[in-house]
Amino acid sequence: MEVEKTTERLYSAQEKVKMTKGGWTLDEDSKLIHYISLLGQGRWDSLAHFAGLKRTGKSCRLRWMNYLRPNLRRGELTPQEQLLILLLHFRYGNRWAKIAEHLPGRTDNEVKNYWRTKVQKHAKQLHCDVNSLQFRDFLHYQWLPRLTEQIRATSSSQEQLMSSSSSFTSHNNTEVLILENSTFLQTGINGSTNITCPINHTPNVAEVTSLIDDNIWNLLSGNRTSGFEDGFSDLSSTDMAVYSNSQDQCHSWASVGSEVLLPDETLGLNDMDLWLFP
DNA sequence: AACTACCTCAACCGCGATAGC
DNA sequence: AGCTATCGCGGTTGAGGTAGT
């Protein structure tokens, strides 16, 4: 409908019938990349036309967004990313694009596919609904601990590397749980938006360690630990981890008290995303 | 080796939201 | 205000790959 409508001016009826569908060829990809570099993104129907592609604008946009655009991360989702998807799904539901915003380099399609092929599959095997209490139990007692154990294992091995490079300073023996390290990086602080940590590199703060405890369950249950809402006004942005665009390092971070929230406006995250544990 | 079942993920479709005239 | 074009999202499909028999 929409396709017929929007391509009406650019293509004749005969041409419309000849619109290509299915997988993209290398030639089509290179044409699309070339014309996007010339004309920029947007106006996808026109772009497809000028590029001489027998594709709908919609198809071009999808190919670019999900496959061709720069800084896309490919390959299996890391345990951190998986954990984050599970947690964010409790907050956002099936709003895949919203969830994907917290996973730089990942597309909504990838998040959606992960949910359908992995999470829903598990629920199905357990003969329960993915939103049921039974499945939440499964997440809490089996899936999430398994993921966090993987994260912890990765973190400890990476920590050893970090300690030799002395680019990171730990404070007060406090452990950090960062459920979305990449968002942290992208968002930055003090209004910085040009932080460009390599997309395939796990950020240092996230490398510290990960813990999971009953607070996760509170989150899954929709509850908040009362103390969580207190105290974070004590924190200024300078208390936060500061990333250097050039050095890809965490220069400093500080803990305030035993249980602290990092402010949304600083990190671009909601309070459920970050905790410090004593 | 051949067949089947299952899995993954890129791509498509429909629809609602938004922009621009 | 109403219409049209475009964009973006979520649901779904199906081709290709892989594991099991």
Side-chain angles (χ1 to χ4, degrees), chain A residues 170-238:
Chain A
S170 174
H171 292 265
N172 303 336
N173 299 318
T174 300
E175 290 187 296
V176 176
L177 168 65
I178 294 201
L179 302 177
E180 208 331 72
N181 46 65
S182 300
T183 299
F184 185 87
L185 262 186
Q186 261 214 333
T187 306
I189 67 169
N190 297 330
S192 62
T193 55
N194 60 344
I195 293 171
T196 55
C197 186
I199 208 79
N200 58 356
H201 174 74
T202 306
N204 290 340
V205 168
E207 287 164 354
V208 180
T209 188
S210 294
L211 279 178
I212 189 160
D213 72 354
D214 285 343
N215 293 316
I216 293 295
W217 183 239
N218 289 332
L219 168 62
L220 299 183
S221 312
N223 299 331
R224 301 285 188 87
T225 303
S226 58
F228 269 27
E229 304 225 314
D230 303 323
F232 73 93
S233 58
D234 295 332
L235 284 173
S236 70
S237 60
T238 54

Side-chain angles (χ1 to χ4, degrees), chain A residues 23-40 44 47-48 50-55 59-60 63-64 67-69:
Chain A
W24 281 65
T25 64
L26 283 174
D27 185 49
E28 286 179 310
D29 281 346
S30 56
K31 277 182 183 172
L32 183 59
I33 291 167
H34 177 66
Y35 274 85
I36 286 175
S37 72
L38 290 177
L39 305 172
W44 294 103
L47 197 142
F50 290 127
L53 291 165
K54 294 279 185 287
R55 296 275 182 174
S59 178
C60 292
R63 182 64 178 172
W64 174 256
Y67 200 84
L68 297 176
R69 73 183 154 102

Side-chain angles (χ1 to χ4, degrees), chain A residues 5-164:
Chain A
K5 205 166 55 183
T6 55
T7 54
E8 200 163 0
R9 291 167 301 113
L10 296 169
Y11 298 98
S12 68
Q14 272 188 327
E15 283 171 328
K16 274 188 279 179
V17 174
K18 291 179 189 170
M19 283 293 180
T20 310
K21 286 187 181 181
W24 281 65
T25 64
L26 283 174
D27 185 49
E28 286 179 310
D29 281 346
S30 56
K31 277 182 183 172
L32 183 59
I33 291 167
H34 177 66
Y35 274 85
I36 286 175
S37 72
L38 290 177
L39 305 172
Q41 298 178 51
R43 295 277 164 186
W44 294 103
D45 277 320
S46 306
L47 197 142
H49 183 69
F50 290 127
L53 291 165
K54 294 279 185 287
R55 296 275 182 174
T56 64
K58 205 172 191 176
S59 178
C60 292
R61 179 191 161 273
L62 200 73
R63 182 64 178 172
W64 174 256
M65 299 302 285
N66 284 352
Y67 200 84
L68 297 176
R69 73 183 154 102
N71 298 327
L72 274 180
R73 262 184 107 162
R74 311 209 65 82
E76 211 170 315
L77 293 162
T78 65
Q80 285 98 332
E81 288 173 320
Q82 293 176 43
L83 182 61
L84 187 69
I85 290 171
L86 296 177
L87 295 172
L88 287 175
H89 190 271
F90 277 96
R91 187 192 308 167
Y92 295 128
N94 293 0
R95 295 175 63 191
W96 311 117
K98 193 76 189 168
I99 294 170
E101 279 176 16
H102 295 267
L103 296 153
R106 300 294 187 181
T107 66
D108 56 346
N109 223 21
E110 275 183 294
V111 174
K112 183 168 52 182
N113 282 333
Y114 171 75
W115 187 263
R116 294 185 67 83
T117 60
K118 300 290 198 317
V119 183
Q120 281 194 338
K121 191 183 110 183
H122 256 96
K124 198 175 173 183
Q125 283 171 348
L126 294 170
H127 300 101
C128 60
D129 187 84
V130 76
N131 296 314
S132 66
L133 192 62
Q134 187 191 350
F135 192 65
R136 287 188 179 205
D137 276 342
F138 169 75
L139 282 178
H140 179 223
Y141 293 112
Q142 292 185 48
W143 198 324
L144 294 178
R146 205 163 54 219
L147 280 176
T148 49
E149 189 49 49
Q150 286 176 34
I151 294 168
R152 194 201 306 269
T154 310
S155 299
S156 57
S157 63
Q158 288 179 341
E159 236 177 42
Q160 288 176 355
L161 287 173
M162 282 159 48
S163 62
S164 60

